[in-house]
Amino acid sequence: MKDLSVIETILRNRYHFFVEIREGIGLPEKMRAMLISSIAFLALYGAVMGSTHSLWQALSSAVKLPVLFLATLIVCSPTLYFFNVLFGSNQSLTQNIALILTAITVTAVLLLSFAPISMFFLLTTSHYQFFKLLNVAIFAVAGGAGVLFLSQGMRVVSASGVEGAGARHMVLRLWILVYAFVGSQVAWTLRPFIGAPSMRFELFRQLGGNFYTNIIASIGEILGFVVVR
Amino acid sequence: MRDQPSSPPPSTAERILDLLLEALQERQAARQASPERPAAPSGPGPQPALPPSPAAEPGAAPLASGPGGETPPAPEPVRQPPVPEVKPLRGLRPGEAGWTPPPRLPGINLGRTMGRLLLVLAVLTVLVNIPINRYGTSLARIMPDSAALVIRDGLVLKGSGPEIYVLEDDKLRWISSLDAFEFYGYRWEQVHVVEDSFLEDFERGKPIHVLLKCLSSPHIYALENGRKRWIKDIPTFEAEGYVWEDVKMVDCGYLRRLPDGLPIPQDAGPPPQP
């Protein structure tokens, strides 16, 4: 419960939180609290998503959703760090990771807040494509809010290094695109999270296709243009 | 008054006052001529101080002294140009020099609220996953499947009748017996109950039979609708598309107890018993 109090600091006193990251105050404690909170929230949302298929899928998604975000963090954080250093930043890698963890925590909190809605649709509709697109939309909203926090945090944390601030801002924007792209590909690799009702439970599906064509096909099916096979 | 010779010489007090007036006027002129200082208010009432900007200088010019620094004439009502709208200064944005974070907001026990929400959602998630009927279906999966199916090979479907089909190459293949269903490894939880109209959208393919054979007999039978159909010979077996992996070994007594159906081909003659 103590670790969850970091949520209040992030949501209500975010600038103080960012300033403390800039000053390097209590970074390990902050990162641990954010990590625990994020894992708990993401695991629960994963379980809600997977419940539409089977108990095994619920358990599997509860493990895979935190892994998805942490894997994306591990894959993407060195890029942000080294590009920031290239353009004059004096932040440490730990500070960068703390900022990205802040974004992940905000995303996880918002996902948890969407969990009742997701559960409501889980109980009242069984249209797989609709449920999938609903979750994609929820993830887009929560992820967007998360990277907005990251952007604000990066502005505060990099205040002391004025030189190259414009370039670093551009780097951050490009990095957010890369982050979204890597995240969607990791999600595709770790799928299924919901589990098509006509298919057996599988921990991982065979590779092939990609996230974007699948989403377009799902939209096409909902609109009645195609049948996903 | 001092220029009139007929007038009496000014008194000491008047001279002191004149000197004081001149000193004040010089001081005022010097202040208005200075670019760093804002213009002095000209009206009697208080006026807001303008920020130091080029726009403030034209308003101050009429009050300035002449180029030579001589004493200006008696003050006249100054016609001021319209004061441009003063835009408020943009606040410092986070990260800019001089920015300080806003005051801390008081705590609202959000951590405890999040903990409770987490707990409630965890309990709900467990509840919706608990099987609630004799088929082991939970609340989360109790809605009918027909709108949720992803059409693919291997999809097992059942309409309102007892027949069970499997979808292969966009064709529905009827699974002709329980033996065949079990022999091919299908499970009841794979069966999706759909509307009959959904089944009618698909072409019918070859039925799926299981082939039965017992150890002490060379004959092979196809099980269909609970009857055994004798397959006349190997060429017929192969012509029907069967392979040896389709053959299930069973007890000879069980095989003998099954009633005979039409042989394959139908003109093969009376079927031998195993």
Side-chain angles (χ1 to χ4, degrees):
Chain A
M1 196 71 84
K2 187 189 163 199
D3 288 319
L4 295 183
S5 62
V6 75
I7 305 302
E8 178 164 346
T9 314
I10 293 174
L11 295 187
R12 283 173 59 81
N13 292 306
R14 74 182 85 160
Y15 290 119
H16 290 275
F17 190 78
F18 294 145
V19 167
E20 285 176 6
I21 289 179
R22 183 177 71 193
E23 307 297 334
I25 299 169
L27 274 186
E29 294 79 17
K30 282 186 175 59
M31 289 171 66
R32 189 181 68 96
M34 287 192 287
L35 205 59
I36 291 172
S37 309
S38 304
I39 288 174
F41 299 161
L42 292 171
L44 187 58
Y45 193 82
V48 171
M49 276 201 302
S51 294
T52 187
H53 184 276
S54 60
L55 186 59
W56 282 114
Q57 185 63 60
L59 294 173
S60 160
S61 299
V63 173
K64 285 198 289 185
L65 197 59
V67 170
L68 158 67
F69 277 87
L70 295 179
T72 310
L73 165 76
I74 291 167
V75 170
C76 291
S77 53
T79 315
L80 182 66
Y81 170 65
F82 284 108
F83 268 91
N84 272 334
V85 168
L86 185 67
F87 290 104
S89 167
N90 50 9
Q91 300 163 33
S92 67
L93 181 60
T94 316
Q95 284 172 312
N96 267 265
I97 291 175
L99 280 176
I100 302 172
L101 265 178
T102 312
I104 290 176
T105 308
V106 171
T107 304
V109 170
L110 293 182
L111 282 178
L112 189 75
S113 71
F114 273 116
I117 294 174
S118 191
M119 194 176 278
F120 169 74
F121 281 103
L122 166 77
L123 295 174
T124 56
T125 178
S126 65
H127 200 295
Y128 169 63
Q129 305 296 357
F130 168 77
F131 193 66
K132 187 165 71 178
L133 289 177
L134 173 75
N135 275 283
V136 169
I138 287 173
F139 272 78
V141 170
V147 294
L148 190 69
F149 258 70
L150 173 66
S151 176
Q152 291 177 345
M154 195 60 84
R155 200 178 294 140
V156 174
V157 172
S158 65
S160 51
V162 176
E163 189 185 347
R168 287 201 302 277
H169 196 62
M170 181 58 70
V171 163
L172 179 65
R173 286 182 177 180
L174 293 174
W175 182 86
I176 286 171
L177 285 180
V178 173
Y179 179 72
F181 192 67
V182 170
S184 58
Q185 188 58 31
V186 174
W188 184 254
T189 308
L190 293 178
R191 80 191 194 282
F193 289 91
I194 298 174
S198 58
M199 301 176 87
R200 292 180 186 183
F201 165 71
E202 291 172 302
L203 195 56
F204 300 106
R205 292 262 161 78
Q206 67 219 26
L207 291 175
N210 67 60
F211 174 80
Y212 304 100
T213 53
N214 190 267
I215 294 304
I216 290 169
S218 295
I219 293 170
E221 179 165 334
I222 278 193
L223 298 177
F225 297 140
V226 293
V227 174
V228 177
R229 288 171 187 268
Chain B
M1 291 176 71
R2 285 182 299 168
D3 297 338
Q4 292 177 359
S6 57
S7 58
S11 64
T12 307
E14 282 176 345
R15 267 185 283 165
I16 290 172
L17 284 174
D18 285 342
L19 286 171
L20 188 60
L21 180 64
E22 284 176 10
L24 283 172
Q25 284 173 338
E26 280 176 7
R27 189 176 178 85
Q28 187 183 25
R31 178 180 291 179
Q32 288 171 350
S34 170
E36 290 83 18
R37 307 287 297 267
S42 58
Q47 287 191 358
L50 293 174
S53 69
E57 289 183 4
L63 294 177
S65 63
E70 67 266 356
T71 306
E76 294 175 2
V78 178
R79 183 182 295 170
Q80 288 196 339
V83 178
E85 187 182 352
V86 179
K87 291 182 180 173
L89 284 173
R90 180 177 67 78
L92 288 171
R93 298 170 75 175
E96 289 182 347
W99 172 84
T100 51
R104 273 185 191 274
L105 294 172
I108 54 170
N109 268 336
L110 197 59
R112 185 183 295 175
T113 308
M114 293 300 297
R116 286 176 181 168
L117 178 64
L118 197 67
L119 200 63
V120 168
L121 284 171
V123 169
L124 282 176
T125 308
V126 170
L127 284 179
V128 299
N129 276 290
I130 293 175
I132 55 168
N133 64 13
R134 61 197 174 107
Y135 301 109
T137 309
S138 72
L139 204 57
R141 296 176 282 281
I142 206 162
M143 295 292 285
D145 282 340
S146 57
L149 292 177
V150 174
I151 311 299
R152 60 169 186 87
D153 278 357
L155 187 62
V156 186
L157 300 169
K158 180 182 174 300
S160 58
E163 295 85 7
I164 296 175
Y165 302 90
V166 62
L167 193 68
E168 280 183 20
D169 297 328
D170 285 345
K171 290 179 181 173
L172 282 182
R173 297 187 67 190
W174 172 47
I175 302 173
S176 63
S177 65
L178 188 59
D179 289 271
F181 185 86
E182 289 171 351
F183 180 70
Y184 289 106
Y186 296 113
R187 290 173 290 113
W188 287 108
E189 54 265 32
Q190 285 179 264
V191 179
H192 297 279
V193 179
V194 296
E195 297 86 1
D196 290 339
S197 58
F198 184 76
L199 295 178
E200 287 162 9
D201 289 343
F202 296 94
E203 198 180 327
R204 295 297 191 267
K206 280 179 61 177
I208 295 176
H209 303 299
V210 66
L211 304 181
L212 301 178
K213 184 182 180 305
C214 69
L215 277 175
S216 60
S217 167
H219 302 294
I220 297 172
Y221 302 85
L223 184 63
E224 188 178 327
N225 278 342
R227 293 176 177 272
K228 63 178 188 289
R229 297 183 65 190
W230 172 55
I231 299 172
K232 182 185 172 187
D233 49 22
I234 296 298
T236 308
F237 178 91
E238 291 174 343
E240 288 290 314
Y242 295 125
V243 291
W244 285 106
E245 285 74 22
D246 296 335
V247 179
K248 180 184 179 185
M249 299 302 289
V250 293
D251 178 62
C252 287
Y254 167 74
L255 201 50
R256 280 188 211 106
R257 283 194 295 275
L258 290 172
D260 288 316
L262 290 170
I264 303 172
Q266 293 188 10
D267 58 355
Q273 288 304 309

